[in-house]
Amino acid sequence: MKSANSAAEPLRGLSAFPLTPIADHRVDETAYARIVGRLAAARVDTITALGSTGSYAYLTRAERARVAALAVEHAGATPVVVGIGALRTEHVLEHAADAEAAGAAALLLAPMTYQALTADDVYGLFDDVTSAVSLPVILYDNPGTTHFAFTEELYAAIARLPRVTSIKIPALPADSAAAADRVQRLRQVLPAHVTIGVSGDASAATGLSAGCDAWYSVIAGTLPEPALAITRAAQAGRADEAAALSARLAPLWELFAEHGSLRVTAAIAEHLDLARPYCLPLPIKGLGDADRRRVARVVEELGLGR
Amino acid sequence: MKSANSAAEPLRGLSAFPLTPIADHRVDETAYARIVGRLAAARVDTITALGSTGSYAYLTRAERARVAALAVEHAGATPVVVGIGALRTEHVLEHAADAEAAGAAALLLAPMTYQALTADDVYGLFDDVTSAVSLPVILYDNPGTTHFAFTEELYAAIARLPRVTSIKIPALPADSAAAADRVQRLRQVLPAHVTIGVSGDASAATGLSAGCDAWYSVIAGTLPEPALAITRAAQAGRADEAAALSARLAPLWELFAEHGSLRVTAAIAEHLDLARPYCLPLPIKGLGDADRRRVARVVEELGLGR
């Protein structure tokens, strides 16, 4: 087990979000270990186990503890972030304790909702959790799945809590000036030590070039190389190259926009034999046959299957 | 344990949805048993344990099994419906088996989401569940919490599955002609044996008078008498009386509209000493002090605390 300090420094660069493939209604541990090992071998900066892409919301406490341990085991020297979100604060604290015991380097927390939460509820959640844990915490803003809308004011309040180290923001505007404005505005309300990580893979090149410190990436969890190429170009200040590398993946981003990144990424992993067919947790069936063929065609045409 | 057949007939009349009060981070079993006993004594037609009002989404499998058993034990002769929803189909099936073992009369199933579900996913969920259970199943359409939008076409497809017995629809239009139109349209697409139950307490009088067979009621889970009075008036064809009884509760419906029915109902239960303070599962803090005082004032002014 690695030291829990290995990513106590701010979270920067490319964080790859692996799928947690299901087979026969159980976590496919062999496939998961292989996927995580590939990410470490590709030298992504961090691996985020049990993100939305890793189906954290669908797994039991025992499954999540096991997945966290497998991720740390197969990530080698790469720091592992673990998603700890749950509908109930009690359960979030249990997941945090399990992640800490597994050797996680940091924790990712989204305010899951069933009943709508108020800003005060969400602040209370982060207050309760950051008071109870010893690892860095990433605020995970994913309105498409949580249906909770953060304000800049709430970002700022939570970012002042101890141990809050990074904010995973939703997709940025496609226009690079508008994206830079948004990142600038966030910088003004956030403490200097809190990193900003972009998600929404299609807007990552824009986001990194606009000053985001990290890319919390769905696609990198299954296809790390093209995501790394974009990240390294942007980090080196080669914004045009990063934009061109991202533009080359436009057919993929179109599929993401149409079907959501999870179903498309699962179809890619299944096409590449990284996961068994229908690897998402039911009731999510994943793409239909025609769309799976389209995904396979895009993967082959872009040379992503090599 | 009662026979599982006690509500195999279609679900009609008033179904009361009790809170599942939390105290010290655990289900307050004493308070829950008392709440359920009050509903049975008031002679509601059915009691729905573990609805959204019963915080089903926040409880563990063991807690839910225990709550279902307590509800059946304290409901006496009143049939108990049990909510079985979960994000993952495997877990829904576990909850269904537990509810059946507890002596439930019927099962209530909402398509919970984290990742958005397609119509095909949701149909598959109901297909998988109705194939596996022996009890009647109520389709629970609660877009405010599930963020899933049913179409009439999907209602109709699911209603043709075996064991689907009732549909819990969201609030109807306030205008009685528009409400009647909507119920008529639903009748045309649903099999004759499937009952329609209105939710959205403020629109229940309108809904029952517009031809709904049942009222799936939040307020009846804590204040059964005023809900029974509305139901019995509407069932006897006294639409004006039902409407007047509902209109009298307007200050309550305003609070529901402002804060959601769950937080207001929890504050009522706390005010009436049916639950300990802060009885909702964290991170849901419930109403602030000023709003709690307003709720208490409304309860007293309407004579609901007697």
Side-chain angles (χ1 to χ4, degrees):
Chain A
M1 206 171 286
K2 287 175 304 194
S3 154
N5 294 321
S6 49
E9 70 274 14
L11 286 144
R12 296 180 188 280
L14 181 65
S15 192
F17 281 52
L19 294 160
T20 307
I22 303 289
D24 297 327
H25 308 295
R26 299 285 167 267
V27 172
D28 185 343
E29 297 192 358
T30 309
Y32 186 69
R34 185 168 158 230
I35 289 171
V36 170
R38 270 168 49 97
L39 302 180
R43 306 186 69 83
V44 299
D45 297 305
T46 58
I47 294 170
T48 300
L50 298 167
S52 293
T53 306
S55 294
Y56 76 93
Y58 298 85
L59 305 181
T60 64
R61 178 179 181 182
E63 286 171 330
R64 291 171 68 164
R66 176 72 181 140
V67 166
L70 280 171
V72 171
E73 182 186 343
H74 293 275
T78 310
V80 173
V81 180
V82 175
I84 58 169
L87 287 169
R88 185 160 154 203
T89 302
E90 287 293 299
H91 301 161
V92 176
L93 295 173
E94 291 172 353
H95 298 315
D98 293 345
E100 197 152 328
L107 308 171
L108 180 72
L109 177 55
M112 281 180 69
T113 64
Y114 180 74
Q115 299 286 344
L117 295 178
T118 66
D120 196 40
D121 290 337
V122 171
Y123 181 82
L125 169 67
F126 278 87
D127 193 13
D128 287 347
V129 172
T130 54
S131 302
V133 304
S134 60
L135 293 176
V137 172
I138 304 169
L139 184 166
Y140 187 1
D141 181 4
N142 194 351
T145 55
T146 65
H147 304 281
F148 180 79
F150 278 95
T151 59
E152 288 181 11
E153 188 185 359
L154 183 56
Y155 274 171
I158 291 173
R160 285 192 295 269
L161 290 169
R163 278 170 287 285
V164 175
T165 307
S166 184
I167 298 190
K168 177 182 184 296
I169 62 170
L172 286 164
D175 175 70
S176 59
D181 274 359
R182 169 93 179 119
V183 174
Q184 262 319 102
R185 246 190 8 258
L186 289 178
R187 290 271 182 236
Q188 283 162 16
V189 300
L190 297 178
H193 70 277
V194 171
T195 66
I196 300 172
V198 67
S199 56
D201 286 352
S203 78
T206 307
L208 288 168
S209 296
C212 287
D213 309 286
W215 174 13
Y216 294 113
S217 173
V218 174
I219 195 65
T222 299
L223 300 173
E225 284 82 5
L228 270 167
I230 292 169
T231 305
R232 298 303 176 233
Q235 285 176 321
R238 302 191 302 271
D240 289 349
E241 182 189 334
L245 288 167
S246 179
R248 199 180 156 267
L249 302 178
L252 209 52
W253 308 149
E254 281 161 27
L255 283 161
F256 276 26
E258 200 168 320
H259 300 288
S261 57
L262 179 72
R263 288 170 171 87
V264 174
T265 305
I268 294 171
E270 293 166 13
H271 174 67
L272 298 179
D273 276 331
L274 294 168
R276 284 169 50 189
Y278 302 95
C279 72
L280 295 173
L282 285 174
I284 307 170
K285 290 182 180 175
L287 298 184
D289 289 342
D291 287 316
R292 283 167 194 271
R293 285 193 295 272
R294 189 173 147 213
V295 167
R297 220 159 38 233
V298 166
V299 167
E300 297 309 323
E301 283 169 10
L302 293 177
L304 300 171
R306 291 169 306 191
Chain B
M1 207 171 285
K2 287 175 301 195
S3 154
N5 294 320
S6 49
E9 70 274 15
L11 286 145
R12 296 180 187 281
L14 180 66
S15 193
F17 281 53
L19 295 160
T20 307
I22 302 289
D24 297 327
H25 308 295
R26 300 285 167 267
V27 172
D28 184 343
E29 298 192 358
T30 308
Y32 186 70
R34 185 169 159 229
I35 289 171
V36 171
R38 270 168 48 97
L39 302 180
R43 308 186 67 84
V44 299
D45 296 305
T46 58
I47 294 169
T48 300
L50 297 167
S52 293
T53 307
S55 294
Y56 76 94
Y58 298 85
L59 306 181
T60 64
R61 179 180 180 183
E63 287 171 329
R64 291 171 67 163
R66 175 72 181 140
V67 166
L70 280 171
V72 171
E73 181 185 343
H74 292 275
T78 310
V80 173
V81 180
V82 175
I84 60 170
L87 287 169
R88 184 161 156 204
T89 302
E90 288 292 299
H91 300 162
V92 176
L93 295 173
E94 290 172 353
H95 298 315
D98 294 345
E100 197 152 329
L107 307 170
L108 180 72
L109 177 56
M112 280 181 70
T113 65
Y114 179 74
Q115 298 286 346
L117 295 178
T118 67
D120 196 41
D121 290 337
V122 171
Y123 180 83
L125 169 67
F126 279 87
D127 193 13
D128 287 347
V129 172
T130 55
S131 302
V133 304
S134 60
L135 293 176
V137 172
I138 305 169
L139 184 166
Y140 188 2
D141 180 5
N142 194 352
T145 55
T146 66
H147 304 281
F148 180 78
F150 278 94
T151 60
E152 288 181 11
E153 188 186 358
L154 184 56
Y155 274 170
I158 291 174
R160 285 192 295 268
L161 290 168
R163 278 168 288 284
V164 175
T165 307
S166 184
I167 298 189
K168 177 182 185 294
I169 62 169
L172 285 164
D175 175 69
S176 58
D181 275 358
R182 169 92 179 118
V183 175
Q184 263 318 102
R185 247 190 7 258
L186 290 177
R187 291 270 182 236
Q188 283 162 17
V189 299
L190 297 177
H193 69 276
V194 171
T195 65
I196 301 172
V198 66
S199 56
D201 286 352
S203 77
T206 306
L208 288 167
S209 295
C212 287
D213 309 286
W215 174 12
Y216 294 113
S217 173
V218 174
I219 195 66
T222 298
L223 299 173
E225 284 82 5
L228 269 168
I230 292 169
T231 306
R232 298 303 177 232
Q235 285 176 322
R238 301 192 302 271
D240 289 349
E241 182 189 335
L245 288 166
S246 180
R248 200 180 155 266
L249 302 178
L252 209 50
W253 308 150
E254 281 161 28
L255 283 162
F256 277 28
E258 200 169 320
H259 299 289
S261 58
L262 179 72
R263 289 171 170 87
V264 175
T265 305
I268 294 171
E270 293 166 14
H271 174 67
L272 298 179
D273 275 332
L274 293 169
R276 285 170 49 190
Y278 301 95
C279 73
L280 295 173
L282 286 175
I284 307 170
K285 291 182 179 175
L287 299 184
D289 289 342
D291 288 315
R292 283 168 194 270
R293 284 193 295 272
R294 188 173 148 211
V295 167
R297 224 165 29 239
V298 166
V299 167
E300 296 310 321
E301 282 168 10
L302 294 176
L304 299 172
R306 290 170 306 189

